[in-house]
Amino acid sequence: MRKARNLSVLSMKWHNLAGWTGGIALVLFAGSGLLHILMTWTGPQAASFFPPQTTMTAESVQAVPQVLAQNNITHANMVKIVPGQRGPLLQVTTDNYEPRRYFELASGLEIPGHDKAQAIWLARYYSGEQSTPIRDVSFQTSFDANYPWVNRLLPVYRVTFDTDDQLTAFIYTEFGALGSLSNEWKSGLQAFFALLHTWSWLDGVENARLVIMLVLLLSLFTMAATGTAMILVLKNRTLPPQRRWHRLISYGIWLPILLFTASGTYHLLQQSTADTQKGLELGPAMDLSANRLGRNTQWMTGFADTPINNVTLLAGPGDVSLYRVGLPMGRHGQGLDRESRYKGQPIEKPALYFNAMDGTLSDLDDHDMALHFSTRLNGRSTELVESSQLVTHFDPDYDFRNKRLPVWRIDYAQDRLFVDPASGVLVDRISDAALVEAYSFSFLHKWNMISQVIGRLPRDLLLLAVILPALLGGVLGYVMLLQRFRRRRS
């Protein structure tokens, strides 16, 4: 009995002390969490969740080596035939942070500045704004408040439409992707979320951001932990209305608050101190000398009038040049939406590889190419690979922010790479320590384990059922602290 009383007195003391800072932290973090849900619900939605497709002829592919030679392109990180507004175009990437170059396949002529026009066409395709005038287009090579690093894709074109809400699409032209779709409303909510939840406005002084957020989080954790101890130790008794409501609310939120705070602190330390992959990494430049590319493209006749995602020129094992043909799973992505993509609905059939010199069908597949590219990207031999698997859906290991599916996961000791065999790009890289944190943040902070069972909307409603009472409980607690302070002063 005496021990219980001592524990209750000690808990009450630290609960009140931590409450001065922890109460502010609760209102800041819970309120901004509410903004994040609101941003997800009310932000603009894409009109399409599948990249545009095209059809092409054997002559189109046959023109590739001629176009490269005609324009004196002997080395490039990426060469592919991509859909364009007027038909297939040859896209060449020589520097990931410079606009990509485009060439007409029929004439071999370069289309000056076409990367911007390609971005506008893609922005109209994804937004559904086919005739709305364009207000502004800019080439963006760094993340900012309106396009934070969680979007991963850089560089992007920021295409703003002349609408009342300034609808803006962020377009990554390399594989025709929508990085983000925003407007004034969503940008405002996103700015407040960053201001209150992640304190990203202090990124320039990371040590200060880390210290301030740790103080807030540890105060909140202490307040929640001591409040939990009081719930367990103190017997129910008649209380004033404010304290009674504060206690009733605490019964429902003490565990979620502890989970949110512990996982948030872990996430903060991991993101602030660890060397994490925050962008795509291109493979080394390919040798595109004329003696590596032939003219035999009879294999393309089998794909006449067939929708194609893209045809990519890649350097395979033994530095053999290969054409990769990406075939869509369905015509124009019918039936594909955000939820089906998140759950892993296939968007592409198994790719085919053809020798670029003689046109023969290669026995290589995406798995072989993923292993090959992982070796080129990290310098470790395939003998060191512990396991590999195809990733067709987003999960804590491979987050939705990465945008690309499918990819191959290549596991090494204490490290795993996520490789896109369609381009040889390293999409993500995660260590064992980062993986533990990813699961902690996904399950304990974002409650993704619930969304996997009941869906994202019911998960959001459940989060609201915790956040709103937590805000009310935090306000009531702070009011009681102020009343207690005034009584002691008087």
Side-chain angles (χ1 to χ4, degrees):
M1 185 71 180
R2 187 182 183 87
K3 289 183 179 179
R5 179 174 178 78
N6 290 339
L7 179 60
S8 66
V9 172
L10 187 63
S11 297
M12 176 74 77
K13 175 184 176 181
W14 282 103
H15 187 73
N16 290 335
L17 285 174
W20 289 107
T21 307
I24 294 174
L26 177 59
V27 173
L28 287 178
F29 294 138
S32 52
L34 185 64
L35 289 179
H36 192 275
I37 295 174
L38 187 62
M39 181 172 61
T40 303
W41 285 4
T42 62
Q45 299 296 314
S48 178
F49 293 86
F50 193 89
Q53 301 165 13
T54 189
T55 58
M56 61 189 73
T57 63
E59 288 76 20
S60 297
V61 181
Q62 193 175 58
V64 172
Q66 180 180 336
V67 174
L68 295 173
Q70 181 179 329
N71 291 275
N72 299 314
I73 300 174
T74 58
H75 290 82
N77 296 90
M78 208 170 301
V79 176
K80 61 168 61 175
I81 299 176
V82 297
Q85 187 171 12
R86 292 175 294 178
L89 298 169
L90 184 67
Q91 181 195 74
V92 178
T93 301
T94 55
D95 186 329
N96 191 42
Y97 284 88
E98 294 292 333
R100 303 174 204 283
R101 302 172 66 184
Y102 295 81
F103 302 86
E104 292 181 346
L105 288 163
S107 67
L109 297 176
E110 183 168 3
I111 311 172
H114 185 75
D115 206 31
K116 179 179 177 180
Q118 184 80 352
I120 293 173
W121 174 64
L122 289 167
R124 292 192 183 281
Y125 170 81
Y126 282 113
S127 67
E129 299 287 345
Q130 294 298 330
S131 58
T132 305
I134 302 296
R135 178 177 296 180
D136 181 66
V137 181
S138 59
F139 187 66
Q140 186 165 332
T141 59
S142 60
F143 298 112
D144 59 21
N146 292 318
Y147 188 70
W149 72 267
V150 294
N151 291 295
R152 291 298 181 93
L153 303 178
L154 278 180
V156 292
Y157 282 89
R158 177 174 176 160
V159 182
T160 303
F161 293 92
D162 193 13
T163 58
D164 292 339
D165 63 352
Q166 294 191 41
L167 182 67
T168 301
F170 295 87
I171 300 296
Y172 184 69
T173 55
E174 184 267 304
F175 66 104
L178 176 67
S180 179
L181 190 64
S182 188
N183 57 12
E184 282 188 325
W185 168 253
K186 182 179 178 180
S187 294
L189 292 178
Q190 192 165 266
F192 274 109
F193 177 78
L195 178 72
L196 303 175
H197 205 87
T198 66
W199 289 50
S200 58
W201 51 281
L202 283 176
D203 280 350
V205 279
E206 179 60 21
N207 288 337
R209 185 184 83 94
L210 182 61
V211 170
I212 293 172
M213 291 199 70
L214 279 177
V215 169
L216 290 172
L217 286 166
L218 292 177
S219 297
L220 178 54
F221 186 85
T222 302
M223 184 182 75
T226 52
T228 303
M230 290 164 60
I231 290 174
L232 297 175
V233 172
L234 293 178
K235 295 181 179 180
N236 290 326
R237 61 181 188 274
T238 303
L239 296 170
Q242 283 183 341
R243 291 187 64 185
R244 184 168 66 251
W245 278 107
H246 184 73
R247 185 181 179 90
L248 286 173
I249 291 171
S250 299
Y251 282 118
I253 67 169
W254 67 269
L255 181 58
I257 294 299
L258 287 174
L259 295 179
F260 286 146
T261 309
S263 57
T265 304
Y266 189 9
H267 182 72
L268 172 67
L269 292 170
Q270 175 69 26
Q271 295 296 319
S272 181
T273 60
D275 182 18
T276 56
Q277 176 86 12
K278 292 188 178 180
L280 302 178
E281 182 181 330
L282 295 181
M286 296 180 289
D287 184 352
L288 301 173
S289 304
N291 61 355
R292 294 179 176 272
L293 305 176
R295 305 296 291 274
N296 186 341
T297 55
Q298 290 301 309
W299 53 269
M300 265 301 299
T301 58
F303 301 102
D305 300 322
T306 300
I308 289 176
N309 287 345
N310 52 63
V311 173
T312 312
L313 183 60
L314 301 169
D319 214 20
V320 174
S321 297
L322 300 165
Y323 286 113
R324 179 191 186 275
V325 181
L327 300 171
M329 181 62 71
R331 189 171 183 83
H332 304 304
Q334 292 178 352
L336 188 68
D337 56 17
R338 178 186 175 94
E339 193 68 19
S340 59
R341 279 218 65 187
Y342 186 87
K343 291 181 178 178
Q345 178 176 322
I347 64 173
E348 189 172 84
K349 296 177 183 177
L352 300 174
Y353 290 87
F354 295 88
N355 188 296
M357 275 299 296
D358 58 25
T360 56
L361 177 64
S362 172
D363 58 359
L364 294 171
D365 57 19
D366 276 349
H367 178 228
D368 299 320
M369 293 298 287
L371 290 172
H372 164 65
F373 287 131
S374 68
T375 299
R376 294 181 68 189
L377 288 163
N378 71 2
R380 287 182 280 185
S381 68
T382 54
E383 285 75 17
L384 296 177
V385 174
E386 295 186 345
S387 63
S388 57
Q389 66 183 73
L390 179 66
V391 178
T392 60
H393 63 279
F394 299 106
D395 56 25
D397 295 32
Y398 186 72
D399 196 83
F400 187 78
R401 62 193 176 190
N402 288 303
K403 305 295 192 298
R404 296 195 186 204
L405 282 176
V407 295
W408 277 88
R409 168 177 162 169
I410 311 297
D411 288 8
Y412 296 87
Q414 300 181 336
D415 196 15
R416 56 202 47 78
L417 277 63
F418 295 88
V419 178
D420 177 15
S423 57
V425 166
L426 176 61
V427 182
D428 200 4
R429 185 173 196 160
I430 187 168
S431 64
D432 283 349
L435 183 63
V436 173
E437 188 280 320
Y439 270 90
S440 164
F441 193 68
S442 179
F443 288 168
L444 304 182
H445 204 86
K446 299 167 67 176
W447 291 14
N448 280 339
M449 72 287 194
I450 297 175
S451 64
Q452 291 173 7
V453 177
I454 63 176
R456 297 167 69 85
L457 178 59
R459 186 277 311 265
D460 289 347
L461 292 174
L462 190 58
L463 283 170
L464 282 178
V466 172
I467 292 174
L468 292 176
L471 282 170
L472 177 59
V475 171
L476 286 175
Y478 218 81
V479 168
M480 289 189 291
L481 276 179
L482 290 172
Q483 291 174 343
R484 183 187 181 93
F485 178 74
R486 289 170 182 165
R487 286 196 299 269
R488 287 187 172 184
R489 290 287 300 271
S490 60

